[in-house]
Amino acid sequence: MPKYKTKEGYRINKKGNKVMSITPSIFVGTATSEDGEKIELLTTWGQAPMIEFDDGSQVIWSWDELINEAIKLKQQKEPTPAATDVSQ
């Protein structure tokens, strides 16, 4: 599960408690979401992918989480053997 941090730098641990967390990061680039929000693409010092939203909140993935999501998406988009209609 990716880690979410509020703009104030807090995340919620498994016990439901607020934990202050500082994640050193390296700037990679910027992007704009489909709804127009500007986001920064970053990596942690350990090279884990990270996104910081315009409001300062962050989402950090492990590489395993990102790889597993990519595999799920690929499997959802592949045709089944019974598929006969090919659309372009």
Side-chain angles (χ1 to χ4, degrees):
M1 182 83 163
K3 295 180 179 132
Y4 173 78
K5 287 183 10 181
T6 66
K7 62 184 174 186
E8 292 85 17
Y10 290 100
R11 63 180 178 79
I12 306 299
N13 68 12
K14 291 181 180 181
K15 294 180 180 180
N17 299 319
K18 280 172 61 172
V19 177
M20 175 60 89
S21 160
I22 297 172
T23 306
S25 59
I26 300 165
F27 179 79
V28 175
T30 58
T32 304
S33 67
E34 290 179 359
D35 66 357
E37 181 178 13
K38 293 188 187 298
I39 57 175
E40 286 191 358
L41 308 170
L42 308 149
T43 62
T44 65
W45 282 5
Q47 302 303 311
M50 178 173 151
I51 292 177
E52 183 168 303
F53 295 94
D54 216 13
D55 69 359
S57 61
Q58 300 173 337
V59 177
I60 305 168
W61 290 265
S62 73
W63 279 109
D64 286 339
E65 291 166 338
L66 195 57
I67 289 166
N68 289 334
E69 287 300 312
I71 290 168
K72 286 180 198 173
L73 181 61
K74 181 179 183 280
Q75 290 171 343
Q76 290 173 356
K77 298 297 180 184
E78 289 181 349
T80 64
T84 57
D85 182 29
V86 178
S87 59
Q88 299 278 336

